[in-house]
Amino acid sequence: MDRATFARSTAFFRDSGNSSPASAALPGGQVDFIDKAESFTYSDFFRDYLLPNHPCVFSAKFTEDWSSRRTWVTCHGKPNFEHLLQEFGEAVVPVANCDLKEYNSNPKEQLPFKEFVEYWREYIGSGYPSRGCLYLKDWHLSRAFPELDVYSTPVYFSSDWLNEYWDAVAVDDYRFVYMGPKGSWTPFHADVFRSYSWSANICGRKRWLLYPAGHEEFLKDCHGNLPFDVTAPDLRDKRIYPRYSQSQPPLEIIQESGEIVFVPSGWHHQVYNL
C-alpha cells in the first residue's frame, strides 16, 4: 500500500462514524465504467470502490493481453471448441443442471470436459431438453492446469488474502472458470465468506442483478430464508415475503466480452448467460 492509499484509508475510517453506511448507494443507480488502465491507479480503485464497497465495470482493454481472450474465442466471437478440447478434453469438470433445484442451488455432477462440449454443441444446434440446461461452474482450472497462463490478475485485485492462504497450505483455491450456453444461470447468492470478487467475461454476454450488502434482509421469507430466484413472482406474496415491498429494484449490469465486473463484499447477486 502506497502512502496515498494509506492516507485515504485512514481518513475513510476516521470519518466513517460521521456518515451513513458505506452501502448507502441504493440499487437502481448507475455503475461506473473504467475505460483506460493508464489513467486509473490502484489508489483510485481503493478510494472509490474497494473502501466504500461499490461495484464497477472494467473495460475489455484490461484483459486484451490475456491468452484466453485470443485462444478460447474464434474470430467470430464464439467459443473455440476445438482449442478447448485440445487443452482440456480429458479433464473432469463440475456441471450443474440449471433446470433443477437442490436446497438453494443447482445439483451438480462430474463430467468429462469433452462430454460437456458435445452437449453444448448440440444445445446450440437444436436445443437439448432431455438433459436440461447444463452449466460448467466452479471449475478449479488454475489448480488443475498450473502450467497454463490463461489470464493475469489485474493489480486492483492483487490483495487476495483468501487465495494467498489456500496457496500457502496447497489444499484449495477460490479461482473458478464458468462455461455454459445461453440460458444458463447462477441463483441468488453472496460470495464465499462474504468476500469481494471479480469476474472477467471471455466470451458472450452476462446479465447481473446485484443488491448492496444488507439489502438482502428485505428479500428473506417469513422463515428467514433467502430466495432461490429474485425474479420469481412468489416474492410479491406478502404472506411468504413480508418485507419484499420495502426492497428496491436490483442494480443491473450487462457485461460484454472482455469486461470485468467488481462485486463488492457482501453484495448478493444473480447472474444469467445471455
Side-chain angles (χ1 to χ4, degrees):
M1 183 182 294
D2 59 27
R3 290 186 178 182
T5 305
F6 178 75
R8 287 167 176 170
S9 63
T10 302
F12 177 87
F13 287 107
R14 183 186 63 228
D15 299 338
S16 60
N18 302 320
S19 59
S20 57
S23 59
L26 296 173
Q30 295 296 315
V31 179
D32 289 347
F33 186 79
I34 314 302
D35 185 33
K36 297 178 180 179
E38 58 269 22
S39 59
F40 187 69
T41 67
Y42 176 81
S43 188
D44 293 332
F45 173 71
F46 193 91
R47 176 195 64 208
D48 296 335
Y49 304 101
L50 191 61
L51 267 180
N53 216 37
H54 291 168
C56 63
V57 178
F58 293 80
S59 77
K61 296 174 185 175
F62 288 83
T63 63
E64 61 187 0
D65 61 341
W66 292 7
S67 66
S68 53
R69 290 283 313 279
R70 298 188 303 271
T71 60
W72 289 15
V73 186
T74 69
C75 60
H76 303 294
K78 303 295 183 181
N80 189 339
F81 290 126
E82 294 304 325
H83 176 83
L84 292 170
L85 284 171
Q86 182 180 347
E87 292 274 16
F88 313 117
E90 300 304 318
V92 176
V93 296
V95 176
N97 189 329
C98 296
D99 293 340
L100 300 178
K101 178 182 177 182
E102 189 173 83
Y103 300 102
N104 237 31
S105 62
N106 304 123
K108 287 181 184 175
E109 60 179 322
Q110 298 289 319
L111 290 179
F113 182 78
K114 58 186 177 183
E115 184 178 329
F116 175 73
V117 170
E118 180 184 355
Y119 153 84
W120 195 354
R121 280 173 154 166
E122 292 192 32
Y123 192 97
I124 291 173
S126 59
Y128 210 7
S130 63
R131 296 194 66 174
C133 183
L134 302 186
Y135 191 11
L136 188 165
K137 60 191 306 186
D138 300 328
W139 180 21
H140 295 268
L141 182 139
S142 292
R143 196 174 73 205
F145 297 89
E147 73 281 2
L148 295 182
D149 183 23
V150 297
Y151 77 98
S152 58
T153 303
V155 64
Y156 316 103
F157 315 123
S158 56
S159 177
D160 187 357
W161 59 266
L162 193 56
N163 279 313
E164 287 169 4
Y165 170 78
W166 287 116
D167 288 344
V169 298
V171 173
D172 201 356
D173 75 330
Y174 288 100
R175 304 178 184 95
F176 302 118
V177 167
Y178 298 76
M179 298 184 185
K182 176 181 178 178
S184 52
W185 68 296
T186 299
F188 192 58
H189 70 286
D191 290 321
V192 60
F193 301 134
R194 299 301 182 264
S195 61
Y196 74 75
S197 66
W198 58 280
S199 178
N201 194 26
I202 303 302
C203 178
R205 306 172 76 222
K206 287 179 178 287
R207 177 183 179 227
W208 294 72
L209 304 177
L210 300 102
Y211 288 89
H215 197 86
E216 72 279 358
E217 294 298 323
F218 299 120
L219 306 176
K220 289 182 176 179
D221 66 15
C222 55
H223 302 292
N225 300 312
L226 288 170
F228 177 70
D229 177 2
V230 290
T231 67
D234 290 353
L235 271 75
R236 298 182 179 87
D237 189 333
K238 292 184 178 180
R239 295 168 300 176
I240 305 174
Y241 295 94
R243 302 183 67 191
Y244 178 73
S245 60
Q246 298 174 252
S247 70
Q248 297 190 30
L251 189 152
E252 183 169 341
I253 296 173
I254 301 297
Q255 182 186 18
E256 303 290 347
S257 296
E259 295 179 350
I260 300 173
V261 170
F262 168 65
V263 182
S265 176
W267 281 55
H268 284 67
H269 47 284
Q270 187 163 306
V271 190
Y272 300 89
N273 290 321
L274 302 179

